[in-house]
Amino acid sequence: MKVKRVLEQSIQEFCRSINTQCIRVADLGCASGSNTFLAIREIIDCIDQEYQHKLSNSLPLSIQIFLNDLESNDFNTIFKSLPDFYEQLGPQSGRSCFIAAVPGSFYGRLFPDNFIHFVHSSSSLHWLSEIPRGLVTETGLPLSKGNIYITKTSPSYVHDAYLDQFEKDFTNFLRMRAIEMVPCGHLLLTLHSRTAGGEGYCYQDILGMTLSDMVMEGLIKEATLDHFSLPLYEPSMEEVKHIIENEGSFKIRHLETIDLAWNDADIASSLMEVVSDKHIMGEYSARNVRVAFQHILASHFGEDIMDDLFCMLARKFSDHIDKMNKAKEILVVSLSKA
Amino acid sequence: MKVKRVLEQSIQEFCRSINTQCIRVADLGCASGSNTFLAIREIIDCIDQEYQHKLSNSLPLSIQIFLNDLESNDFNTIFKSLPDFYEQLGPQSGRSCFIAAVPGSFYGRLFPDNFIHFVHSSSSLHWLSEIPRGLVTETGLPLSKGNIYITKTSPSYVHDAYLDQFEKDFTNFLRMRAIEMVPCGHLLLTLHSRTAGGEGYCYQDILGMTLSDMVMEGLIKEATLDHFSLPLYEPSMEEVKHIIENEGSFKIRHLETIDLAWNDADIASSLMEVVSDKHIMGEYSARNVRVAFQHILASHFGEDIMDDLFCMLARKFSDHIDKMNKAKEILVVSLSKA
């Protein structure tokens, strides 16, 4: 609900500053599932709402939506749901809607110059374009053995390597969008943010412990684990603010950290009431990690150990469920092209 | 080679009449395979060639290509080949190229108003949007029992029903494109044309005979075959000309029938020299039909009899290989928005 209010605000502002008969929207990192359609539905509804207020006697408005994700994303499944989506959408005050897909990395160019009016990206920008280069020596030896991510005991160069890579990637993202977007175009971005001051475990810790166990059990070679790092970084609000200001193409209109702690605790406790079973909670958490990381883990460790890994991960989660960080932060960033 | 010359001509004419920094091209009915990339590669090369002559000191040009086919098309496979394609393409005189996909029927709207500069469609427009309505009574009873297409002995209402449907579909196609294309935009269309005066069998006859055999052998129910008609129509040049002029949005710049008879005969005779085996020629012909019709046949007759069908079809082709029509005609249509 909080993000939706920022989205409405952003769309309102940009609709009022841009004069066009066809609004071009990009959803970057759209994935493939029900969330794909939820996001674009919300954007279309916001635009419809704004135009119903504003332009009752103008020519029919059309909205062109470009769904983007990596070339490996399952676009076929999205496309098969399109006829139903168009039908649900119906004709709204004569507005027509055209959905296209643009596969490729959003750290590179996706669109011609001066083309897109509104960019949306939800829970995608914390993914890095590659494992931070600073985590291996010039000869390719891993510097952060035994850890797959930043932990509480990591030396500072591990954090620096991750921040460097994030800064490079996010700067690229902003630079590319600055070329592709029209003047006064708006962006709404959400990304995971680092949990400040959490004393407990986060899911990366649990995944790291499980992979170490698998080395002990001989299911994974130690060297294979040593060469693995999660290609994601959860920045702080200050880091994101600094990068945007440094890059210079966009004006910050809204920057907020949303703490999902209470919600999560609510969900967890109501789930616990229903299932009252750490085993099931562990399965649930492992499944969530599998959705996000299966692809990356399988391409490094091999498809054949994935079932073992997520089975052991579920057990590890249920063993540590009481010691997990409850806090979870989402950064909401609303920008306009300067 | 003949089609390529018309394509070059069409792109040359439209590049000289349109002033834009980003050329938007749509390939309608792109399918999924090596031909998909061949077609867009040829279009890009033609545009590059034209701009190298013309605009050596203008700003960098970008080309945005929209690949279209039905929602059921395998776009994932196309997307996985995109990184290689972009690499082969390389940077040509600073030109950048952006490839997107737009799934949906080209008999409906695909793009916003006034958006596309050049439309290409190869071997797709002879597919109808549905089985001609005139082939069933108002209560849904089939009128053309025992035939899956127009045969030499078909009553005239069968041909009329097919032509009606083609006229409706092709008119819709032109009407939609007229809205979506910029003034002076160009189209290049190729589609199968009816073989004039062929005395022998065409592949539709052989397919029909095979399906009838399967009814005799109890593999297909007679009623199931009675309710099946091929949803395609191969128009004559005069029919196409008449529909374009009647619809009125486009000017005919070039209209030609290319007779592939000699080529085909060449291929056939050189193939026969190599394989000198009617059995292998039959397999080859059946495989070609399978690529184009498997989807339609399986959805009507069921996936499980497809292997039997194409096995019997190969035998039927090899039995009749000497009595097949050698002639094959392709219509090449070059249009510009009036």
Side-chain angles (χ1 to χ4, degrees):
Chain A
M1 291 305 292
K2 276 191 185 173
V3 178
K4 202 181 170 185
R5 272 199 297 277
V6 186
L7 175 71
E8 281 169 354
Q9 180 75 20
S10 173
I11 285 181
Q12 206 175 76
E13 286 171 2
F14 111 87
C15 283
R16 288 174 191 187
S17 62
I18 278 171
N19 194 10
T20 177
Q21 277 311 306
C22 176
I23 294 181
R24 292 198 273 266
V25 174
D27 188 25
L28 308 183
C30 65
S32 174
S34 52
N35 282 345
T36 308
F37 287 104
L38 266 181
I40 58 177
R41 180 69 207 238
E42 224 157 61
I43 293 169
I44 294 168
D45 286 349
C46 284
I47 296 175
D48 278 349
Q49 208 178 338
E50 181 55 26
Y51 271 73
Q52 272 162 14
H53 289 178
K54 183 189 158 193
L55 293 168
S56 52
N57 53 4
S58 70
L59 286 169
L61 169 82
S62 63
I63 307 172
Q64 201 174 17
I65 296 192
F66 294 87
L67 299 175
N68 155 266
D69 212 309
L70 294 177
E71 292 92 351
S72 55
N73 188 49
D74 181 11
F75 283 97
N76 283 355
T77 300
I78 301 179
F79 293 167
K80 274 168 199 144
S81 304
L82 272 182
D84 285 346
F85 181 74
Y86 280 125
E87 202 175 311
Q88 281 165 31
L89 211 57
Q92 190 91 15
S93 58
R95 173 265 300 132
S96 39
C97 185
F98 304 100
I99 296 174
V102 177
S105 164
F106 51 51
Y107 295 124
R109 285 291 301 272
L110 296 168
F111 303 102
D113 297 15
N114 210 24
F115 184 74
I116 293 288
H117 297 95
F118 185 74
V119 165
H120 177 260
S121 176
S122 174
S123 294
S124 298
L125 276 159
H126 47 265
W127 290 103
L128 302 173
S129 66
E130 58 181 329
I131 291 173
R133 292 199 190 161
L135 293 180
V136 288
T137 65
E138 278 180 16
T139 55
L141 291 174
L143 284 168
S144 180
K145 286 190 184 189
N147 285 317
I148 61 163
Y149 190 61
I150 307 161
T151 63
K152 283 179 192 62
T153 58
S154 294
S156 65
Y157 69 79
V158 174
H159 178 262
D160 292 349
Y162 269 100
L163 178 55
D164 266 9
Q165 185 62 46
F166 177 76
E167 188 165 357
K168 209 182 294 171
D169 284 340
F170 191 45
T171 301
N172 261 342
F173 176 89
L174 296 170
R175 214 168 267 161
M176 300 300 146
R177 300 301 87 76
I179 302 170
E180 294 168 355
M181 292 181 72
V182 303
C184 301
H186 274 236
L187 293 94
L188 185 80
L189 318 172
T190 68
L191 61 166
H192 292 180
S193 182
R194 194 164 50 252
T195 306
E199 288 302 305
Y201 292 120
C202 56
Y203 71 89
Q204 295 97 331
D205 296 323
I206 306 290
L207 180 60
M209 286 187 240
T210 308
L211 289 166
S212 295
D213 286 356
M214 292 181 84
V215 170
M216 305 270 273
E217 291 189 20
L219 295 166
I220 291 176
K221 282 189 189 146
E222 188 168 4
T224 310
L225 179 56
D226 287 345
H227 280 89
F228 181 74
S229 298
L230 285 174
L232 68 88
Y233 179 70
E234 300 175 334
S236 71
M237 190 200 270
E238 289 66 37
E239 287 163 358
V240 165
K241 187 165 181 274
H242 175 76
I243 297 169
I244 295 166
E245 287 171 348
N246 235 21
E247 196 278 326
S249 305
F250 295 95
K251 188 183 153 195
I252 298 174
R253 303 184 79 94
H254 187 93
L255 185 57
E256 182 185 10
T257 307
I258 295 180
D259 190 345
L260 298 183
W262 294 105
N263 277 333
D264 257 19
D266 281 356
I267 294 169
S269 73
S270 65
L271 253 175
M272 282 295 269
E273 269 170 39
V274 180
V275 299
S276 62
D277 186 337
K278 288 184 180 180
H279 178 69
I280 294 177
M281 284 295 289
E283 294 273 358
Y284 173 79
S285 305
R287 209 174 311 139
N288 283 346
V289 172
R290 187 165 198 161
V291 169
F293 292 95
Q294 155 107 16
H295 187 72
I296 283 163
L297 292 164
S299 72
H300 188 86
F301 295 105
E303 195 68 59
D304 47 321
I305 63 153
M306 287 301 106
D307 285 341
D308 281 343
L309 166 57
F310 289 105
C311 185
M312 289 173 74
L313 183 68
R315 245 178 293 145
K316 190 65 85 182
F317 266 121
S318 56
D319 290 348
H320 293 79
I321 208 90
D322 300 325
K323 285 163 273 170
M324 295 290 292
N325 270 335
K326 293 290 177 290
K328 195 174 166 187
E329 287 182 350
I330 301 280
L331 256 178
V332 185
V333 188
S334 171
L335 305 174
S336 64
K337 193 170 151 182
Chain B
M1 291 306 293
K2 275 191 186 173
V3 177
K4 203 181 169 184
R5 271 199 297 276
V6 185
L7 175 71
E8 281 169 354
Q9 180 76 19
S10 173
I11 285 180
Q12 205 175 74
E13 286 170 3
F14 111 86
C15 283
R16 286 172 191 189
S17 63
I18 278 172
N19 194 10
T20 177
Q21 276 311 305
C22 177
I23 294 180
R24 292 198 273 267
V25 173
D27 187 26
L28 308 183
C30 66
S32 175
S34 52
N35 283 345
T36 309
F37 287 103
L38 266 180
I40 57 177
R41 180 67 207 239
E42 224 157 60
I43 293 168
I44 294 168
D45 285 349
C46 285
I47 296 175
D48 279 349
Q49 209 180 336
E50 181 55 24
Y51 270 73
Q52 272 161 15
H53 289 177
K54 181 188 161 196
L55 293 167
S56 51
N57 53 5
S58 69
L59 285 170
L61 169 84
S62 63
I63 307 172
Q64 201 173 17
I65 295 191
F66 294 88
L67 300 174
N68 156 266
D69 211 308
L70 294 177
E71 293 91 350
S72 54
N73 187 48
D74 181 11
F75 284 97
N76 283 355
T77 300
I78 302 179
F79 292 169
K80 275 170 199 143
S81 305
L82 272 182
D84 284 346
F85 181 74
Y86 280 126
E87 205 176 307
Q88 282 164 31
L89 212 56
Q92 191 90 15
S93 58
R95 173 263 301 132
S96 40
C97 185
F98 304 100
I99 295 173
V102 176
S105 164
F106 52 50
Y107 295 124
R109 285 291 300 271
L110 297 168
F111 303 102
D113 297 16
N114 210 24
F115 185 74
I116 293 288
H117 298 96
F118 185 75
V119 165
H120 176 258
S121 177
S122 173
S123 292
S124 298
L125 275 159
H126 47 264
W127 289 104
L128 302 173
S129 67
E130 58 182 327
I131 290 174
R133 292 198 191 161
L135 294 181
V136 288
T137 65
E138 277 181 20
T139 55
L141 290 175
L143 285 169
S144 180
K145 284 190 187 192
N147 284 318
I148 62 164
Y149 190 62
I150 307 160
T151 63
K152 284 178 191 61
T153 57
S154 293
S156 66
Y157 69 80
V158 174
H159 178 262
D160 292 348
Y162 268 100
L163 178 55
D164 265 8
Q165 186 62 45
F166 177 76
E167 187 164 0
K168 209 182 293 170
D169 284 340
F170 191 46
T171 301
N172 261 342
F173 176 88
L174 296 170
R175 214 169 266 161
M176 299 301 144
R177 299 301 87 76
I179 303 171
E180 295 168 352
M181 291 182 73
V182 302
C184 302
H186 274 237
L187 292 94
L188 184 79
L189 318 173
T190 68
L191 60 167
H192 292 181
S193 182
R194 193 164 49 252
T195 305
E199 287 302 306
Y201 293 119
C202 55
Y203 71 89
Q204 295 97 330
D205 297 323
I206 307 289
L207 180 61
M209 288 187 235
T210 308
L211 288 165
S212 295
D213 285 356
M214 292 181 83
V215 170
M216 306 270 273
E217 291 188 20
L219 295 166
I220 291 176
K221 281 188 189 146
E222 188 168 3
T224 310
L225 179 57
D226 286 344
H227 279 90
F228 182 73
S229 298
L230 285 175
L232 68 88
Y233 179 70
E234 299 174 334
S236 70
M237 191 201 269
E238 289 66 35
E239 287 163 357
V240 165
K241 187 163 181 275
H242 175 78
I243 297 169
I244 296 167
E245 286 171 349
N246 235 21
E247 195 279 327
S249 305
F250 295 94
K251 187 184 154 199
I252 297 174
R253 303 184 80 94
H254 187 93
L255 185 55
E256 181 185 10
T257 307
I258 295 180
D259 190 345
L260 297 184
W262 295 105
N263 277 335
D264 258 19
D266 282 354
I267 293 169
S269 72
S270 64
L271 252 175
M272 282 298 267
E273 269 169 40
V274 180
V275 299
S276 60
D277 185 337
K278 287 184 180 180
H279 178 70
I280 294 179
M281 284 296 288
E283 294 274 355
Y284 173 80
S285 305
R287 208 174 312 138
N288 283 347
V289 173
R290 187 165 198 162
V291 169
F293 292 95
Q294 155 106 16
H295 187 72
I296 284 162
L297 292 165
S299 72
H300 188 85
F301 295 104
E303 194 68 58
D304 47 321
I305 63 153
M306 287 301 108
D307 285 341
D308 281 344
L309 167 58
F310 288 105
C311 186
M312 289 173 72
L313 183 68
R315 245 179 294 146
K316 189 66 83 184
F317 267 120
S318 56
D319 290 349
H320 293 78
I321 208 89
D322 300 326
K323 286 163 271 169
M324 295 292 292
N325 269 334
K326 293 289 177 288
K328 195 175 166 186
E329 286 181 352
I330 301 279
L331 256 178
V332 185
V333 188
S334 172
L335 305 174
S336 63
K337 195 170 148 180

